[in-house]
Amino acid sequence: MSSAQPIAEDAAPEGVRPPSQLRQLAAASVGNAVEWYDWYAYSFLAVYFADQVFPKGAGNSLVPLLSTFAVFAVGFFMRPVGGLLLGAVADRRGRRAALTLTILLMGGGSLLVALTPTYAATGVLAPIVLVLARLVQGLSVGGEFAASTTFLVESAGPGRRGLFSSFQYVSTTLGQLLASGTGALLAALLTEHQMGQWGWRVAFLVGALLSLLGLWIRRGAQETLPGAGAGETSGGAQRAARPGLFEGLRRHPRQSLLICGITAGGTIAYYTWTTYLPTYAQVNAGFDKGDALTVGTLSLVFFALLQPLGGMLSDRIGRKPLLLTFALGFAVLAVPLLHLVTDDFFSLLLVQCAGMVLLTGYTSVAAAVNAEVFPARVRAAGIGFPYSLTVALFGGTAPYVGTWFKQAGHPDLVPWYVAVVCLVSFLVYLALPETARRPLEV
């Protein structure tokens, strides 16, 4: 058995040359970047539209920001549902069907955010519309990770699963760069008042248009699930052979728990460093909003460049050494690194880039490790549900927990929280079997 199944044998008609791996990589990556642009635009622009959608509490200016990050967390709690339902679509109907559906949902959610009314104009309807939009986007993102992770790793050639898996976070980071770059550009061109009144809506309208671009690009993707679509022509026997909704959890409980342990430390570190850190610097060190966006953009470029290097290294030396270095590094260094953040531009840039180096040990191999745990039959849903549930519990709440610690007068607890969760994942990684040279289960 080869170490990977690059393309499903029945995916292309006889005599038709299958698409190159580069085309497969582009189809997954471009669509994923568009997905994450829409998702991260919310967190980057939250400081501008919080006052528009939520009323201020009596004498407390942090109430709108807390409320906005609470909605951010609500979107995360739809991700397990998306991972399960859309992962099941990927396992039953094929990876392409799921990838098409996820990007349509994300575009619709982004458009709804752009059209969210203000609290002053409609009262409670404003936060209701915003919550609905984030629920749709959460559903989409949960399914996107399950489908695109599976698609990427199944498209890889022998000995290249780590490299291909690294593009999960390359494309995610490109989406973040688009979001932060758009936010920085709008902040540079518009006044603070204009950004708060209508400028933030422009970014979400751009996201809706980019979703159409991603949909068009994904039309050229080649299916990687053997037998996908065969049920439409072979009757009830083929439909009966399709996996049940909870088959991954029921038949592979150990693997499901393993995904949770693998993900916990990675997701808390990832969302703290890439999403919450600019807000942390603003709230705790008085860092300028515009400078925080600039630092975030520079560090994300650095992070994206690191991912393929980490993926290729894991193909040579294995996944475990990178995972262990990441987790131990954050367990030891999270507290001193976040204590170095001041209102100085280079202090934040140094801290963020140092964290990115450590974080690459997780992000560059996460997709490969997850895909290597489950057989193809339940791979997407098997990954999607436990992964997204763990991200919701630890990643989705990271900005809210950090802001809550500040409001409660204990901002120093944020780095300790990150360190403890990463230490737990370190123990999981110690017991994790090496999967780099194992063939993918079919």
Side-chain angles (χ1 to χ4, degrees):
M1 183 185 297
S2 65
S3 62
Q5 300 288 338
I7 302 293
E9 292 180 359
D10 59 344
E14 185 177 353
V16 177
R17 182 180 179 182
S20 68
Q21 289 184 337
L22 182 60
R23 185 174 179 181
Q24 293 289 95
L25 196 60
S29 299
V30 173
N32 194 47
V34 173
E35 284 266 347
W36 288 98
Y37 166 90
D38 291 333
W39 182 256
Y40 280 110
Y42 184 98
S43 60
F44 284 123
L45 296 169
V47 293
Y48 292 108
F49 66 80
D51 290 345
Q52 293 287 304
V53 180
F54 297 97
K56 289 185 178 180
N60 194 336
S61 62
L62 282 177
V63 169
L65 187 60
L66 274 171
S67 300
T68 308
F69 281 142
V71 176
F72 184 80
V74 165
F76 270 87
F77 278 95
M78 277 300 288
R79 289 177 62 166
V81 179
L84 183 63
L85 295 181
L86 297 178
V89 170
D91 289 333
R92 292 168 65 89
R93 299 286 184 178
R95 317 311 188 200
R96 279 187 59 189
L99 291 171
T100 297
L101 185 54
T102 59
I103 204 162
L104 285 173
L105 288 172
M106 181 57 72
S110 187
L111 181 61
L112 195 56
V113 174
L115 300 178
T116 298
T118 64
Y119 188 89
T122 61
V124 72
L125 180 62
I128 289 176
V129 170
L130 188 62
V131 168
L132 178 61
R134 293 303 287 177
L135 290 177
V136 171
Q137 290 187 319
L139 186 74
S140 172
V141 169
E144 173 68 21
F145 183 87
S148 64
T149 291
T150 303
F151 179 83
L152 273 172
V153 177
E154 289 175 346
S155 296
R160 304 182 73 188
R161 294 200 303 261
L163 173 61
F164 267 55
S165 84
S166 72
F167 279 86
Q168 178 74 32
Y169 277 92
V170 170
S171 55
T172 297
T173 304
L174 289 177
Q176 288 179 267
L177 285 169
L178 284 171
S180 63
T182 301
L185 179 62
L186 289 171
L189 295 176
L190 303 175
T191 66
E192 186 91 3
H193 177 74
Q194 289 172 327
M195 280 295 296
Q197 290 297 309
W198 56 267
W200 60 272
R201 298 181 187 273
V202 174
F204 293 105
L205 289 173
V206 170
L209 294 175
L210 287 175
S211 296
L212 296 178
L213 173 63
L215 178 64
W216 176 76
I217 291 173
R218 282 185 167 175
R219 290 179 61 191
Q222 183 72 56
E223 182 57 63
T224 63
L225 177 66
E232 301 303 320
T233 59
S234 58
Q238 176 68 26
R239 286 192 294 272
R242 290 173 176 169
L245 186 62
F246 294 99
E247 185 171 326
L249 288 172
R250 182 167 51 85
R251 294 194 176 184
H252 306 278
R254 179 182 174 277
Q255 289 90 333
S256 298
L257 289 174
L258 195 59
I259 293 289
C260 294
I262 291 169
T263 305
T267 193
I268 188 66
Y270 179 78
Y271 283 101
T272 299
W273 244 255
T274 66
T275 301
Y276 178 65
L277 193 56
T279 302
Y280 176 88
Q282 293 170 38
V283 173
N284 293 282
F287 207 88
D288 180 76
K289 288 181 184 178
D291 286 346
L293 285 172
T294 301
V295 169
T297 300
L298 292 174
S299 61
L300 284 172
V301 171
F302 176 66
F303 183 61
L305 294 174
L306 290 175
Q307 299 312 298
L309 300 178
M312 287 188 290
L313 183 61
S314 79
D315 284 329
R316 292 180 64 87
I317 68 172
R319 322 293 187 215
K320 282 188 66 172
L322 274 73
L323 290 171
L324 290 169
T325 300
F326 146 73
L328 185 61
F330 266 100
V332 173
L333 297 176
V335 174
L337 281 176
L338 287 183
H339 282 166
L340 290 176
V341 175
T342 68
D343 60 356
D344 178 71
F345 182 92
F346 289 101
S347 77
L348 181 59
L349 182 62
L350 176 64
V351 168
Q352 198 150 13
C353 287
M356 297 302 195
V357 173
L358 292 174
L359 193 55
T360 296
Y362 167 78
T363 54
S364 64
V365 302
V369 172
N370 289 339
E372 288 162 352
V373 167
F374 283 95
R377 174 180 170 81
V378 293
R379 184 168 290 136
I383 293 170
F385 182 72
Y387 172 86
S388 296
L389 180 63
T390 308
V391 170
L393 291 173
F394 294 98
T397 58
Y400 183 84
V401 169
T403 307
W404 184 85
F405 278 145
K406 170 63 177 179
Q407 187 186 41
H410 302 290
D412 289 344
L413 291 181
V414 174
W416 285 105
Y417 175 55
V418 175
V420 169
V421 177
C422 287
L423 182 60
V424 172
S425 282
F426 176 78
L427 299 177
V428 174
Y429 300 152
L430 282 175
L432 186 69
E434 182 56 69
T435 58
R437 292 172 182 84
R438 290 183 180 181
L440 279 180
E441 292 188 59
V442 294

